[in-house]
Amino acid sequence: MKTNSTTAKVKALLLAMLLVFGQFYSQIQNGSVGINTSSPNVNSVLDVVSGSNNKGILIPRLTETQRNAIVINRPQDDGLTIYNITEDCLNYWSLADNEWKSVCGQLGKAVFTVDCSNTKAMGTYVKGRDLTTSNYLDISVNVTKIGNYTISGTTINGYNFYGTGTFLNTGTQTIQVTGQGTPQNVQTDDVSLSANGNAVTCTPAVSVNVLSPAGSYTMSCGSAIANGVYKVGTALNSSNTITLPVNVASLGSYTITTNTVDGISFRGSGTFTSTGNQNITLNGTGTPSSTAVKTITITSDSQGGVPTTCNVNIIVVIPKKTVLHIGLETAYGYSAFTGPSRSLMDSPTNFGTTASSIVKYEGFTHTSLGNSPSSAALQTALNAKPDIVIIGYSYTPNATDAGYLASYLNRKGIVIALTDDTGTAQNLFRAIFSDPTISTSNGSGAGSVYALSNTDDPILNGPFGDVRGKNWGEDASTTINISGLTSGFIPYSYAQPINSTTARTGISGLRNSSLNFVWFGDGGFLSNENANGNPYSSNTIEPFVAPSSGGYFPVQKATYGSAGNGYSAGGMQVQNSILFANMIAWAVKQAEFSGINTQ
């Protein structure tokens, strides 16, 4: 009896506790279970209420590895739900797709690291000036799992950065996180980075230099200098800058930017600490996409209504070109395959990739046919499409050869012909100008000096000097004159020497106005037997001068010419080497932008 009584009491106590517990924690009504509610939602199996509105519900929390270790029973586990603590998101098993899905998006949260060394703040930051689309964090990341990302950067100076998106590929990539707000103080701010909710520590920190409001200054664009070498496909570096002179009227910050042309741009910012004339540096960025000359527009933020834009040109290195030489291969350099004329072409002082090179150019590939190639050999060589052909003493093309050269010119080839044979010149001109009435004649002899025209022309006035109104000199033989031309050419010099009273008619030097053809009537135009390019001692032969001591830079021969017509022997100056260097500079440009290999 005693035992039964005790058992009854225990059962009664348990029933009472269950009733109390049930009243407080749950109610079952119409098949629905409620926790902390006496009226569970009839459409739910379980209705959970936070009694004090300060608690939530926790479901199983698993890492992604633990989640993937679950052995799925596909029919029965459709909709199985866990909280993925690796990506901080609810996941569920989808029978239809036979995979785990994330409620944060189909891809879920990305996994990536931030490369602090390649992360920087872009744009200019000025006290009191709202940030614009030019103000952003340029962030390099390495993505190991595709998915969604959120990146923020905060400062304590009135502005911040925020960006969100989706990585669709793994690997290294760069994203832009836009800025917003208004800097409040002039100072250097460290940016606190966060990636998908996790703090990113950068040492040193990504920093922003907030400038004072802009000062007043004027730019001296005509004196701006582009520094460094620019090459297609090569990213600009610290040597690629623009030195810009300015005159500061009132102190303050400056921000100077340029447009982007063919992939490159420049910018510079800072604070003026003194007034007056001074230089500032604009740093380049980007990679040139073409060899075209780039007209860069510079824009400043100067206050006070002063001019705020101007232009500067950026020259890009031209790739290497092939040159076919025809003529004697001797120390005199008749065809520029040998001698000082070849040294002039190959000198990086003249044609090179250094910052000081006169023509920014990768150099030449030289080939030669010698002095007497067969017509078949000439045709084969021209069909290979050399960029430039240089003809010198004593090559004598027949009518067939001249036709091949004319065809090459009509296909945008370039020919520089320096010849002093009447038959050769006549064959060339009749073929090139398609005029059988053109004739040639012998002119004056060794030491003759011819006046150059004042025409504004890239060969008379080129990167190696302005020789308009000056002279060129005949070598040891006899000048050839052309007669019968009526149009289609630009005359450089006529048949009458300045140091002769014997009347001569015709033309002794010219450029075709539609084809890439330059001619002077002297096969020894480039003659100089001194390997060092110094002036040869004679006043009547070897007019070419390009001293090795100056990097084979072309200079005039200061004492030249035979006596006559009031001139003493050696009393004139001739510019053969400068003319030739300008011819080559012109030919390189034509080959790059309008040559046989640009078609």
Side-chain angles (χ1 to χ4, degrees):
M1 293 292 295
K2 184 176 181 180
T3 301
N4 291 339
S5 174
T6 302
T7 302
K9 290 180 180 179
V10 171
K11 290 181 177 179
L13 177 61
L14 289 174
L15 179 59
M17 292 178 62
L18 180 60
L19 291 172
V20 171
F21 181 87
Q23 285 291 327
F24 185 74
Y25 288 99
S26 65
Q27 291 288 330
I28 299 176
Q29 183 176 342
N30 296 324
S32 298
V33 176
I35 297 178
N36 288 337
T37 177
S38 59
S39 303
N41 190 303
V42 296
N43 291 326
S44 68
V45 174
L46 176 64
D47 185 357
V48 182
V49 175
S50 175
S52 300
N53 294 320
N54 60 356
K55 295 181 180 181
I57 184 171
L58 286 175
I59 68 172
R61 289 166 288 176
L62 282 69
T63 66
E64 193 160 300
T65 300
Q66 292 168 332
R67 181 203 71 180
N68 293 340
I70 298 174
V71 178
I72 295 295
N73 185 320
R74 292 185 61 207
Q76 296 178 13
D77 291 344
D78 191 21
L80 180 66
T81 303
I82 62 102
Y83 185 81
N84 184 336
I85 60 176
T86 301
E87 71 165 8
D88 292 333
C89 197
L90 288 168
N91 290 179
Y92 67 93
W93 174 260
S94 170
L95 175 62
D97 292 330
N98 194 32
E99 65 179 6
W100 287 98
K101 297 291 189 179
S102 171
V103 300
C104 297
Q106 185 174 357
L107 295 176
K109 189 168 66 175
V111 178
F112 62 97
T113 56
V114 174
D115 180 2
C116 292
S117 64
N118 288 312
T119 295
K120 56 187 175 181
M122 306 300 290
T124 302
Y125 300 78
V126 177
K127 176 183 176 181
R129 182 192 296 174
D130 293 343
L131 270 57
T132 67
T133 55
S134 67
N135 301 106
Y136 58 89
L137 295 179
D138 197 58
I139 299 181
S140 176
V141 297
N142 183 24
V143 180
T144 55
K145 176 182 178 295
I146 63 174
N148 304 310
Y149 70 85
T150 298
I151 296 179
S152 64
T154 59
T155 75
I156 57 173
N157 197 15
Y159 63 99
N160 299 291
F161 303 87
Y162 180 82
T164 185
T166 302
F167 293 123
L168 298 177
N169 301 288
T170 58
T172 301
Q173 46 200 287
T174 301
I175 58 174
Q176 295 181 356
V177 178
T178 57
Q180 54 189 335
T182 306
Q184 301 300 308
N185 300 297
V186 177
Q187 61 188 39
T188 299
D189 298 317
D190 288 344
V191 180
S192 298
L193 294 175
S194 174
N196 277 355
N198 299 314
V200 177
T201 301
C202 289
T203 305
V206 177
S207 63
V208 175
N209 185 28
V210 178
L211 305 174
S212 61
S216 179
Y217 58 98
T218 56
M219 300 183 293
S220 299
C221 288
S223 301
I225 299 174
N227 306 303
V229 175
Y230 301 81
K231 184 177 177 180
V232 171
T234 299
L236 273 56
N237 57 39
S238 58
S239 69
N240 300 112
T241 62
I242 294 175
T243 300
L244 179 65
V246 296
N247 190 328
V248 181
S250 62
L251 300 183
S253 68
Y254 65 86
T255 298
I256 298 179
T257 59
T258 74
N259 56 337
T260 298
V261 181
D262 285 347
I264 67 172
S265 61
F266 298 80
R267 75 180 315 276
S269 61
T271 301
F272 293 119
T273 58
S274 62
T275 58
N277 293 316
Q278 50 198 282
N279 291 333
I280 59 176
T281 299
L282 309 182
N283 297 303
T285 187
T287 301
S289 59
S290 77
T291 54
V293 176
K294 300 167 197 342
T295 300
I296 300 291
T297 300
I298 303 173
T299 303
S300 83
D301 64 345
S302 178
Q303 303 300 302
V306 297
T308 56
T309 61
C310 59
N311 296 325
V312 66
N313 287 333
I314 301 295
I315 308 298
V316 178
V317 171
I318 293 176
K320 183 175 288 190
K321 305 300 177 190
T322 58
V323 180
L324 175 65
H325 301 265
I326 311 176
L328 280 178
E329 299 171 3
T330 70
Y332 294 94
Y334 291 130
S335 70
F337 189 68
T338 54
S341 54
R342 168 70 177 268
S343 298
L344 179 151
M345 293 180 67
D346 290 342
S347 170
T349 299
N350 303 323
F351 301 92
T353 59
T354 69
S356 59
S357 299
I358 302 301
V359 176
K360 303 298 187 294
Y361 176 57
E362 288 190 300
F364 301 93
T365 297
H366 299 275
T367 60
S368 176
L369 284 177
N371 191 51
S372 304
S374 66
S375 296
L378 175 66
Q379 184 181 37
T380 298
L382 295 178
N383 285 342
K385 301 200 294 187
D387 295 293
I388 303 166
V389 175
I390 300 177
I391 298 173
Y393 180 84
S394 60
Y395 174 55
T396 55
N398 57 33
T400 298
D401 299 338
Y404 292 153
L405 289 164
S407 174
Y408 167 77
L409 282 166
N410 282 313
R411 289 182 291 142
K412 300 292 185 179
I414 299 163
V415 174
I416 297 172
L418 308 169
T419 64
D420 56 15
D421 173 75
T422 53
T424 295
Q426 183 167 285
N427 287 336
L428 281 175
F429 276 83
R430 287 184 175 182
I432 292 168
F433 285 86
S434 301
D435 185 348
T437 67
I438 294 173
S439 62
T440 59
S441 62
N442 287 313
S444 194
S448 298
V449 175
Y450 298 89
L452 294 163
S453 70
N454 278 303
T455 305
D456 189 9
D457 179 88
I459 290 174
L460 297 180
N461 184 17
F464 292 92
D466 183 354
V467 299
R468 291 175 295 179
K470 297 181 180 180
N471 310 309
W472 72 270
E474 160 71 34
D475 184 36
S477 56
T478 302
T479 309
I480 300 301
N481 300 320
I482 302 294
S483 299
L485 287 173
T486 58
S487 62
F489 68 98
I490 300 166
Y492 288 158
S493 61
Y494 293 92
Q496 184 64 49
I498 65 172
N499 55 339
S500 173
T501 57
T502 302
R504 309 279 184 183
T505 59
I507 296 169
S508 60
L510 58 78
R511 175 168 69 88
N512 190 294
S513 55
S514 59
L515 301 176
N516 297 320
F517 176 66
V518 175
W519 173 84
F520 278 91
D522 178 22
F525 194 92
L526 307 179
S527 179
N528 184 358
E529 65 189 82
N530 290 332
N532 61 11
N534 289 338
Y536 186 68
S537 58
S538 173
N539 295 329
T540 58
I541 62 172
E542 303 184 28
F544 189 92
V545 182
S548 60
S549 59
Y552 294 99
F553 184 81
V555 296
Q556 68 178 5
K557 187 165 185 178
T559 56
Y560 198 76
S562 56
N565 196 29
Y567 291 95
S568 60
M572 291 149 282
Q573 298 80 43
V574 293
Q575 320 291 324
N576 292 42
S577 59
I578 298 173
L579 274 167
F580 177 69
N582 282 346
M583 289 180 211
I584 299 301
W586 164 83
V588 166
K589 183 177 179 181
Q590 291 297 107
E592 177 65 15
F593 299 110
S594 183
I596 193 170
N597 292 304
T598 62
Q599 308 306 303

